[in-house]
Amino acid sequence: MGFLSTLLGTFGFGVGVSAGLVIGYYLFIYFQSTEVKDPKIRPLVELDSQSLENVLPEIPLWVKNPDFDRVDWLNQFLETMWPYLDKAICKTAKEIAKPIIAENTAKYKIDSIEFQKLTLGSLPPTFQGIKVYITDEKELILEPSLKWAGNPDVTVVVKAFGLKVSAQVIDLQVFAMPRITLKPLVPSFPCFAKIIVSLMEKPHVDFGLRLLGADLMSIPGLYRAVQDIIKNQVANMYLWPKSLEVPIMDLSNAMKKPVGILHVKVVRGIKLKKKDIFGKSDPYVKLKLTEEKLPSKKTTVKYNNLNPEWNEEFRLVVKDPQSQALEFIVYDWEKVGKHDKIGMKVIPLKELTPDEPKTLTLDLVKSMDAIDAEEKFRGQIVLDLAYVPFKEDQLATEVDESGVQKAPEGTPAGGGLLVVSVHEAEDLEGKHHTNPYVRITFKGEEKRTRHIKKSRDPRWEEEFLFVCDEPPVGDKLHMEVISRPSTIGIHSKETLGYIVINLSDVITNKRINEKYHLIDSKNGRIQIELQWRAS
């Protein structure tokens, strides 16, 4: 009976399984819908960036993200220049590594560490797209998406304790998204003072490491551990907001900050040349420093006098005493028509001894282009000059808590420097022409930017300095945007808008950088930066 029961049970199990499979298949076929539905197709434009990345993981960022621009020209440039960049980068890397290797070989008693091979390979990195940020500061921010699947060959030979070991790095892959900031932007080539680099996310770094002929990255667990270590170490050093700063030029030289003040006293004129047919001349003096776009300073007019006494004092801010010069021109004032030039003279500042007052009696000449020894006598001018340089330690270190540089020594006690930076304007529109420049008026002193032809969005990037005997708390700064007509035209100049800025906020906050809507302009705006550097 036991054997029979076992046999029947086995037979029943086989029959049951077979019957269940047949019945299940029949039911599946019978109840399966015969209606064929069309697949739901969504256009790519309706997909978000994450869905696009899942569908097409290798699609460039400029396709997935509209904020990124394509940079095919940059990839073509890299492809052409890569053989030369390879050699230059490897040479620089050897020079940087040389002192580091020398220090560690002595420290760890290693005989030598040498590069047997050092090349970045034939495959350059590629940029998948680039994003550009526009700010109100003097900076340019770039965020490129960088991918590099290269074939470098870096072989290092280490000799120590009678042994020789070689290590080789191959098949390098780097995926990173750095943030590159060029700041501050300055009016000297290459037009930025330093480069600041940060990483917006942890980079992906993959490579092979051969040691004694074997690839260590193939060891289970080691590959993932090395990748994690590299990502964490790089992130600790450079992940935003941490950064790597690379200085390009001396900021003080790039911005041409004030380095001193030239005190000028126009004392008198002697036997000035007569320019009027009837009567004597009506002389006055215009003076300025070369390499400056600031308007000239003027003395008063001394009517009907060939030996005028002025005794008027002026202060001029010096930025480069080695190249700048004091230029002064004596004019004969005319009520109608152009003022006649009596004579001029140029005094290089490098001829003045710092902190040493000097009185000069100079012969006037017609022009500095060609001085004729037999030129007729045009008269003389007497000047008192004193160049007072600022102290270097104050130039480098005196910065207040708001980050604004203090006015160096030589600024009037209790006063300071008002720095006006005219950056740019937007949406300017004239009725007949749009050739804008900015006229700045402060305490009766007027200064102007250069004029830019045919531009509704001009960019000046000019800086103006006003020396103040006391903080201008109750004063106002008037700025007017004016369009100058072309040389040939029937229309006169016209105002494109103006602003009036109360300086009390500038004195309180030390620095203001804002865009102002122009009064009497439909959409025009102007960006102005103001700094108050107290003495």
Side-chain angles (χ1 to χ4, degrees):
M1 287 296 291
F3 173 76
L4 182 60
S5 299
T6 302
L7 181 62
L8 291 175
T10 304
F11 177 77
F13 175 78
V15 172
V17 170
S18 301
L21 290 174
V22 172
I23 295 171
Y25 178 74
Y26 173 77
L27 293 175
F28 174 77
I29 296 298
Y30 180 79
F31 291 106
Q32 180 70 25
S33 176
T34 58
E35 182 182 356
V36 179
K37 295 182 180 180
D38 294 330
K40 182 181 288 187
I41 300 175
R42 295 175 59 192
L44 289 177
V45 293
E46 294 183 3
L47 300 180
D48 56 18
S49 59
Q50 186 62 40
S51 300
L52 275 175
E53 190 171 357
N54 294 334
V55 175
L56 301 170
E58 295 300 323
I59 194 170
L61 270 177
W62 58 266
V63 176
K64 296 183 292 185
N65 194 325
D67 292 337
F68 281 81
D69 299 321
R70 46 187 312 185
V71 282
D72 295 340
W73 65 270
L74 182 55
N75 292 325
Q76 184 63 41
F77 171 80
L78 280 175
E79 184 178 354
T80 304
M81 293 293 296
W82 186 246
Y84 308 97
L85 291 172
D86 176 20
K87 295 179 181 179
I89 293 172
C90 291
K91 182 180 178 181
T92 304
K94 285 183 178 179
E95 293 176 353
I96 294 174
K98 189 175 181 179
I100 300 175
I101 292 174
E103 179 182 354
N104 286 275
T105 51
K107 182 178 180 180
Y108 297 103
K109 298 181 180 180
I110 299 174
D111 296 336
S112 66
I113 300 176
E114 298 178 353
F115 286 101
Q116 189 178 59
K117 291 183 180 180
L118 180 56
T119 175
L120 300 181
S122 59
L123 301 177
T126 58
F127 289 92
Q128 304 297 303
I130 190 170
K131 184 190 295 185
V132 180
Y133 290 92
I134 299 176
T135 70
D136 291 338
E137 303 296 328
K138 295 181 179 179
E139 63 183 10
L140 177 63
I141 301 176
L142 308 173
E143 280 189 11
S145 175
L146 175 67
K147 291 189 177 182
W148 183 27
N151 55 347
D153 187 357
V154 182
T155 304
V156 179
V157 178
V158 181
K159 295 180 181 179
F161 309 107
L163 300 176
K164 179 180 178 181
V165 180
S166 64
Q168 184 182 22
V169 177
I170 58 173
D171 299 332
L172 178 64
Q173 293 185 5
V174 178
F175 302 155
M177 185 175 291
R179 169 174 286 185
I180 303 172
T181 305
L182 311 179
K183 65 179 297 186
L185 302 180
V186 297
S188 301
F189 189 80
C191 299
F192 54 89
K194 59 183 176 181
I195 302 175
I196 302 175
V197 181
S198 296
L199 293 174
M200 304 311 296
E201 57 187 30
K202 291 183 179 181
H204 170 76
V205 181
D206 187 8
F207 61 92
L209 180 60
R210 289 180 180 174
L211 186 63
L212 300 175
D215 189 359
L216 296 183
M217 294 296 102
S218 62
I219 299 176
L222 182 61
Y223 171 77
R224 180 61 59 186
V226 171
Q227 273 207 335
D228 291 341
I229 291 173
I230 292 175
K231 286 184 179 180
N232 293 331
Q233 289 298 322
V234 174
N236 289 336
M237 293 187 293
Y238 305 123
L239 191 64
W240 178 263
K242 298 178 182 178
S243 63
L244 170 66
E245 293 192 8
V246 181
I248 302 299
M249 60 170 56
D250 186 356
L251 184 59
S252 60
N253 294 333
M255 296 296 293
K256 290 189 175 180
K257 297 296 183 182
V259 296
I261 292 181
L262 178 65
H263 298 267
V264 182
K265 182 178 181 180
V266 183
V267 182
R268 69 178 70 90
I270 302 174
K271 298 181 180 179
L272 299 180
K273 184 178 180 179
K274 179 181 176 182
K275 301 295 289 185
D276 294 337
I277 299 176
F278 303 102
K280 300 178 182 179
S281 297
D282 305 317
Y284 71 93
V285 181
K286 293 177 65 175
L287 62 150
K288 69 172 186 177
L289 288 175
T290 57
E291 301 182 11
E292 288 285 357
K293 297 180 180 179
L294 305 178
S296 302
K297 296 182 180 293
K298 300 178 183 179
T299 66
T300 57
V301 179
K302 300 298 181 181
Y303 297 98
N304 198 29
N305 195 337
L306 297 180
N307 296 280
E309 294 277 347
W310 283 290
N311 291 313
E312 297 181 21
E313 297 183 4
F314 303 91
R315 290 191 300 269
L316 305 175
V317 179
V318 179
K319 294 184 178 179
D320 190 351
Q322 294 301 315
S323 62
Q324 287 185 291
L326 173 65
E327 176 185 284
F328 64 90
I329 305 174
V330 182
Y331 285 95
D332 175 26
W333 181 84
E334 297 291 345
K335 188 174 183 179
V336 179
K338 184 179 180 181
H339 300 175
D340 295 326
K341 184 169 73 173
I342 297 176
M344 66 172 297
K345 199 70 176 180
V346 175
I347 307 169
L349 297 188
K350 62 183 179 181
E351 296 181 0
L352 301 178
T353 303
D355 297 315
E356 183 178 308
K358 194 172 185 178
T359 300
L360 300 176
T361 302
L362 304 168
D363 294 333
L364 299 175
V365 296
K366 181 178 180 181
S367 172
M368 298 303 298
D369 296 333
I371 300 177
D372 188 354
E374 298 181 0
E375 185 179 7
K376 293 182 180 179
F377 182 73
R378 293 177 171 271
Q380 296 177 316
I381 194 81
V382 180
L383 302 175
D384 289 341
L385 301 178
Y387 169 55
V388 182
F390 301 143
K391 294 181 180 180
E392 293 185 3
D393 56 344
Q394 291 178 327
L395 280 173
T397 61
E398 287 204 0
V399 178
D400 62 18
E401 295 178 354
S402 62
V404 176
Q405 184 180 1
K406 294 183 179 179
E409 187 176 315
T411 308
L417 285 176
L418 177 64
V419 183
V420 181
S421 299
V422 183
H423 292 301
E424 59 185 352
E426 299 174 354
D427 296 330
L428 301 180
E429 186 174 1
K431 294 181 179 179
H432 305 291
H433 46 73
T434 307
N435 307 308
Y437 69 91
V438 181
R439 181 172 65 189
I440 307 168
T441 306
F442 176 64
K443 287 187 173 182
E445 187 175 357
E446 183 179 299
K447 298 183 179 182
R448 299 184 180 186
T449 66
R450 70 187 187 280
H451 97 282
I452 299 178
K453 296 181 180 179
K454 298 180 180 180
S455 177
R456 295 187 58 188
D457 302 302
R459 189 179 184 88
W460 292 284
E461 296 297 347
E462 296 186 33
E463 184 179 272
F464 304 91
L465 304 177
F466 296 90
V467 181
C468 303
D469 294 327
E470 59 183 12
V473 178
D475 294 312
K476 297 181 179 181
L477 185 72
H478 187 278
M479 307 186 73
E480 184 178 15
V481 183
I482 302 172
S483 176
R484 194 174 80 179
S486 56
T487 53
I488 301 176
I490 60 175
H491 302 289
S492 60
K493 66 181 181 180
E494 57 182 279
T495 298
L496 305 181
Y498 71 94
I499 58 173
V500 178
I501 303 176
N502 293 316
L503 297 179
S504 57
D505 291 341
V506 182
I507 305 304
T508 303
N509 299 322
K510 305 297 183 185
R511 179 175 179 269
I512 290 178
N513 187 5
E514 294 183 5
K515 284 186 178 180
Y516 298 87
H517 289 276
L518 291 168
I519 301 173
D520 291 344
S521 175
K522 185 177 180 181
N523 299 311
R525 296 194 303 168
I526 187 169
Q527 182 182 346
I528 303 297
E529 180 181 354
L530 302 175
Q531 292 186 32
W532 171 248
R533 300 177 184 172
S535 59

